[in-house]
Amino acid sequence: ILINICLESVLFPLTDVCSTLTVSNDSLLVEYGEPVKVNCSIPSEPSSVYKLGWESQIYSDDTVNETSLVWTSPSLTKWEVNGREMFCYLSVPNTEQCKRKVHLTLYKHPDSVKISSESSVWSEGQMMKLKCEIENVGPLQNLTVQWTRVDQNNNMTEMKNGNVTSTLNVSASRDEDGVQYQCTALLKLEQLQQPQVGSSERLKLTVHYKPTITQLSNGTISLTQGDELVLNCSAHGNPSPQYSWSSPRNKNHTNSSIFINSVQSEDQGQYICTANNDEGSDSLKQFIIFYTKHSFNFRQQTEVFH
């Protein structure tokens, strides 16, 4: 009996060795290609034979006569470390193996973030498809894509989230002409207070739409023979609209306004301004009605032709 007691005192430690097993860092965030080092140690050798080691998918090593063992990589590039178990262990005969787990996350900024459109020019009413392509980034499960809309007043609006290749459908309208879109890759990792960001260049959209007459000569104007007459017909459209007029004298007016230096009785009647481009046209009908020999009364009436 005395012999057995002596053997037990030699083979087994008198203290709990598991409580002394430590790692220098149990949660690591490592950028792709950067070095990493973790030390596993015990304060002193146990009173019995032991083995101190590392175990993981990409690395295994152990020692039977040292009180510390370093796991290191001069350039970590193996994505297998993400989501896999990695631990330092201490084994003593006839006792349960002690373990200290290490959570290791490898991440990488994208090589590129590119935004593109299926067409360089869209017509109003079409559905525009924008694509955001993010190359060589990880870990993918922590990646989201943020779309941002920047209008011509530089007001920014966040749109939505997506995956590695994300598409955004936008209805083409005149409000989208000249608007810029940008996509941003966000890596959201617990160990970082701010997400890692990679952004595309801004993509400016061009939307073609038919003209709409926005500036009109309105109200009632009384004129006497010899007065000046100016009729304005300004339209907004893309491409820029061209103008044509139908007038009592059938003169070829191609500007957005008509100027008559001296009104005569032959100038009374109907004036139609038409603004047109490849997307369509808008028209304004105006009348000058002769009431007396020496005066005119100007009355406006508008009609839109589709």
Side-chain angles (χ1 to χ4, degrees):
I1 296 174
L2 290 175
I3 293 175
N4 289 338
I5 293 175
C6 291
L7 287 174
E8 287 181 3
S9 65
V10 172
L11 294 175
F12 300 106
L14 299 178
T15 59
D16 183 7
V17 292
C18 282
S19 64
T20 65
L21 180 65
T22 60
V23 290
S24 57
N25 197 333
D26 61 2
S27 182
L28 293 169
L29 180 65
V30 183
E31 187 170 359
Y32 187 88
E34 292 297 309
V36 60
K37 180 187 293 186
V38 189
N39 185 39
C40 175
S41 64
I42 51 178
S44 60
E45 294 185 7
S47 56
S48 65
V49 293
Y50 68 94
K51 181 187 290 185
L52 183 67
W54 280 101
E55 189 67 42
S56 71
Q57 293 286 334
I58 62 171
Y59 178 82
S60 296
D61 194 12
D62 60 69
T63 180
V64 295
N65 54 16
E66 300 290 339
T67 58
S68 67
L69 185 63
V70 175
W71 177 86
T72 183
S73 173
S75 177
L76 188 61
T77 57
K78 295 184 180 297
W79 290 105
E80 295 89 338
V81 299
N82 286 343
R84 302 294 179 87
E85 189 174 71
M86 175 180 178
F87 57 88
C88 160
Y89 66 87
L90 175 64
S91 294
V92 177
N94 300 321
T95 63
E96 186 176 353
Q97 188 182 66
C98 309
K99 293 182 180 181
R100 292 290 181 268
K101 291 185 179 181
V102 174
H103 180 71
L104 179 61
T105 301
L106 179 65
Y107 75 96
K108 185 181 183 303
H109 292 281
D111 287 346
S112 65
V113 181
K114 299 177 182 178
I115 186 172
S116 60
S117 172
E118 287 188 346
S119 175
S120 59
V121 178
W122 300 87
S123 293
E124 189 170 26
Q126 290 182 316
M127 185 61 69
M128 302 181 289
K129 180 175 285 188
L130 309 182
K131 179 186 289 187
C132 181
E133 295 178 282
I134 304 163
E135 296 182 353
N136 203 7
V137 62
L140 298 183
Q141 65 268 25
N142 296 93
L143 177 70
T144 59
V145 180
Q146 176 181 287
W147 287 92
T148 304
R149 180 183 186 272
V150 186
D151 65 19
Q152 297 184 61
N153 295 320
N154 212 34
N155 297 317
M156 301 179 68
T157 306
E158 291 184 6
M159 302 294 293
K160 71 169 191 176
N161 291 335
N163 294 318
V164 181
T165 298
S166 177
T167 58
L168 178 69
N169 293 324
V170 181
S171 178
S173 69
R174 61 191 63 207
D175 292 336
E176 296 295 329
D177 185 41
V179 168
Q180 299 178 79
Y181 279 82
Q182 183 179 47
C183 63
T184 301
L186 300 177
L187 270 178
K188 298 181 178 180
L189 303 166
E190 291 183 2
Q191 297 93 329
L192 295 177
Q193 293 183 351
Q194 297 294 330
Q196 299 297 300
V197 175
S199 296
S200 71
E201 295 181 351
R202 290 183 179 181
L203 175 68
K204 186 177 181 179
L205 300 181
T206 300
V207 178
H208 284 180
Y209 52 93
K210 76 171 193 173
T212 299
I213 296 175
T214 56
Q215 183 178 346
L216 311 174
S217 298
N218 52 37
T220 300
I221 301 175
S222 295
L223 300 172
T224 58
Q225 192 168 4
D227 282 348
E228 291 182 352
L229 174 64
V230 179
L231 300 179
N232 291 316
C233 176
S234 179
H236 184 57
N238 190 18
S240 296
Q242 296 180 336
Y243 297 90
S244 61
W245 287 84
S246 172
S247 64
R249 295 196 184 194
N250 291 321
K251 291 184 177 180
N252 185 22
H253 299 286
T254 58
N255 296 323
S256 61
S257 62
I258 287 181
F259 173 73
I260 300 176
N261 184 52
S262 177
V263 174
Q264 303 298 320
S265 60
E266 295 85 355
D267 296 314
Q268 68 176 329
Q270 177 177 268
Y271 290 75
I272 299 177
C273 169
T274 300
N276 68 85
N277 61 17
D278 293 339
E279 299 297 318
S281 64
D282 191 18
S283 295
L284 172 71
K285 184 183 293 184
Q286 299 176 321
F287 293 92
I288 295 178
I289 300 177
F290 184 71
Y291 283 98
T292 66
K293 182 177 180 180
H294 299 292
S295 67
F296 294 89
N297 187 44
F298 175 83
R299 183 179 66 192
Q300 175 180 291
Q301 176 178 333
T302 303
E303 293 183 9
V304 177
F305 300 90
H306 299 282

